[in-house]
Amino acid sequence: MPARRRPPLCACVAVALQGVVLVAPASAGGQDPNASSSADPVTLDRIDVRGVRSALDRPAPGGSRLRVSARDTPASVFAIDRDTLDARGVRSTADALSAVPGLVVASPPGHGNTVTWRGFSGGQITQLFNGIDVKYATIAARPVDAWIYERIDAIGGPSGFLHGAGAVGGAIDYVTRIAGFDADDAGATASAGSHDVRVLAGGVNHRFGGDAAVHALRFDASRSARDGWVDAERREAWTVAASLASRPSPRLVHTLALEYQDEHNPRVYWGSPATSGASGRLHALPGAVGRNYNVADGFYAQEVMWGRSLLTWDGGRLGRITNTLYRYDALRDYRNVESYRWDPDRDGVARSGVLQQRHDHQVTGNRTDWHRSTTLAGRPSQWTAGLELSHNRQTRFPQSIAGEIDLVPIDAQVPGRFFAIPGTAPGHVPGATNRVRTAALSVETLTRLGARLGLTAGLRHDRIQLDVVNHRMPTAASPARWSQSYAPTTGRLGLTYDIAPAATVYAQASTAADPPAGVLSTAGFSVLRDFDLSRGRQIEAGGKLDIADGRATATFAAYRLVRENLAIADPDRPGETLPVGRQSARGLEATLDLRPVDALRVQANVGWVDARLDDFVENVAGVPVSRAGNRPANTPARVGNLWLEYAISPIWSAGTDLRAVASRHADNAKTVETAGYALWGAHVRWRPSPRWAMTVRGRNLADRIHVLHAIGTQMVYLGEPRSVELELRAAF
């Protein structure tokens, strides 16, 4: 576990202070609800209105800060809501992302939550928490138990106008449940299954005073544990979220939200040694599947705390102001042997990659947004303007041993302990501290140019200051202190056109700005000393429509993405780099949500991408080698998902799900590739009442051995084998 322990509230005191004055009770409407009226009451006839609201007409906060629906957003936007998370038995934030067409995700411990989408991956996909970017998504977005989340929003392609530098391939936002005034509710779930998986979670939202309440409290907690399918791997995690909402007046609402996550993974699984035959297919070494070559005392652990103060004021004609003050505090610890290579000549697994690491990471910031609905030249128009200030600080404490340390048999059970390795020692010595200060201004607008035509525009300008302090011996490649500044401007311009009452087409152009390699919160001098941010641009067109009187909803999109000024190896000067690389992608995405009869629901999505390294030179053992024309590693050309749910009777239902992922190259050189795979799952649900449900669910029922992520050409990270679980869910 992390050595430094801090009470969850202490890291968030500054955030809490903003809302202290708003906790005093007040009348919701300024009148005594018990006061009598001089007029006699009139009883009206009851009118029941029933209908089905299209998913396209729901708000799409993941694609804009304006109050617009998915239909009116000129982009591919996806919202994975709470009902979908529950219906599909989603266990973690990573599981939920299959709802996004063309997206694949893998979560090796050293990668956190590696998402590949639209031909880009890693730091080129921004992952946020409640709209906040901690600028370390490749690690900070490690999968979290899904219970505390209300929904997950995603937008394809550049979204710099929303979130700043980053996100050339897309952006994903994990949105936490918070207290609300709509209703009192409570729920709980318990499940158990293969690999000794146990989950117990519950939550409650309570309004103090019913419909006239001026305070509401929400509390959610989740406890999960498993003994992994890999030797001796275990995971234990706590996730807690609490929030207090107060409305001292009808126009003013304040919410104080706190979160705490604690995860502990003893002897965490890093991957399996791999081999490739004459076919060029990389697969796990026979006999190594399910083996764990990490040291007996290896582990990964993280402790994360969030504090947010959300203040909303409705000024009527003056507009609506929302202010978010936030604090993020995370501590992550690693102690592992991470790399394993099969050596056929010595008939054993050669181990390397000895690393003890700590990340001490804090982010403090404030965002203010002003929104107003008005008219422009007599046309309905919405405007929003934002100001964001943030300070991101991260200190890393690396201790590593280079080269091979030993050779272990393929059936090794407990291959040694970490501090028995020569050169290792307990304790943490700081390596470097990165401070990233950001000030950003943004503006976004939607204007109806006619009854059918809408124009959307967004623009954001960032001022980014990076300061790095080297805590160890200075060198030419890593001076004692250095700094760099950036000033990117990114934007989006889009049009929507209603070709029919239930059908809309759109077109848009958007831009992005990214660090040339890595992320700013960990970037070193050698990577960034001579480079500005790389640039990305996208053109996208698509459509969104309801079919068959609302029984089906479909979306489709075609896009072209280009990222330029990547850092590549200099062909003429080995060891040097040039900011002239280029990577591109073109692709198609489509979704379908169909209910042909009341008892049957069909949901599907598919993504195809042609991704290329247009101009890319890689340093191979000191020799520059061109990879131009190759597909980036771990990028499948095709991904598809299908979910079927059939109501057998009012209390019984059954469903199945399929996921197919095409083959992927294991490296940029295209020397080997991992096989594609198809996974099949199914479930049966018994719902004796609207408040109770019991589900038996099977995952990977064909028990396919499948590669989620290639780690170079000598290791693969495997997905879980067949599993079965029983889940009980209740609502109160």
mmCIF file of all heavy atoms in Angstrom, residues 30 37 86 123 409 475:
data_model
loop_
_atom_site.group_PDB
_atom_site.id
_atom_site.type_symbol
_atom_site.label_atom_id
_atom_site.label_comp_id
_atom_site.label_asym_id
_atom_site.label_seq_id
_atom_site.Cartn_x
_atom_site.Cartn_y
_atom_site.Cartn_z
ATOM 1 N N GLY A 30 -39.341 30.920 -1.123
ATOM 2 C CA GLY A 30 -39.538 32.180 -0.442
ATOM 3 C C GLY A 30 -40.919 32.298 0.164
ATOM 4 O O GLY A 30 -41.297 33.356 0.651
ATOM 5 N N SER A 37 -54.477 29.652 0.744
ATOM 6 C CA SER A 37 -54.737 30.539 -0.384
ATOM 7 C C SER A 37 -56.144 31.082 -0.272
ATOM 8 O O SER A 37 -57.062 30.412 0.171
ATOM 9 C CB SER A 37 -54.555 29.771 -1.702
ATOM 10 O OG SER A 37 -54.985 30.553 -2.778
ATOM 11 N N ASP A 86 -25.834 -0.744 -15.961
ATOM 12 C CA ASP A 86 -26.459 -1.807 -15.172
ATOM 13 C C ASP A 86 -26.899 -2.970 -16.052
ATOM 14 O O ASP A 86 -26.683 -4.140 -15.711
ATOM 15 C CB ASP A 86 -27.666 -1.247 -14.408
ATOM 16 C CG ASP A 86 -27.268 -0.281 -13.304
ATOM 17 O OD1 ASP A 86 -26.095 -0.311 -12.889
ATOM 18 O OD2 ASP A 86 -28.126 0.509 -12.871
ATOM 19 N N GLY A 123 -1.582 9.142 -25.053
ATOM 20 C CA GLY A 123 -1.793 10.536 -24.711
ATOM 21 C C GLY A 123 -2.600 11.303 -25.739
ATOM 22 O O GLY A 123 -3.004 12.438 -25.478
ATOM 23 N N PRO A 409 12.221 -20.926 -14.839
ATOM 24 C CA PRO A 409 11.534 -21.925 -15.652
ATOM 25 C C PRO A 409 10.143 -21.460 -16.066
ATOM 26 O O PRO A 409 9.552 -20.600 -15.409
ATOM 27 C CB PRO A 409 11.457 -23.150 -14.735
ATOM 28 C CG PRO A 409 12.043 -22.762 -13.447
ATOM 29 C CD PRO A 409 12.502 -21.361 -13.493
ATOM 30 N N THR A 475 22.694 16.584 -16.005
ATOM 31 C CA THR A 475 23.464 16.178 -17.180
ATOM 32 C C THR A 475 23.038 17.061 -18.344
ATOM 33 O O THR A 475 22.077 17.837 -18.250
ATOM 34 C CB THR A 475 23.207 14.707 -17.539
ATOM 35 O OG1 THR A 475 21.832 14.559 -17.940
ATOM 36 C CG2 THR A 475 23.495 13.787 -16.347
#
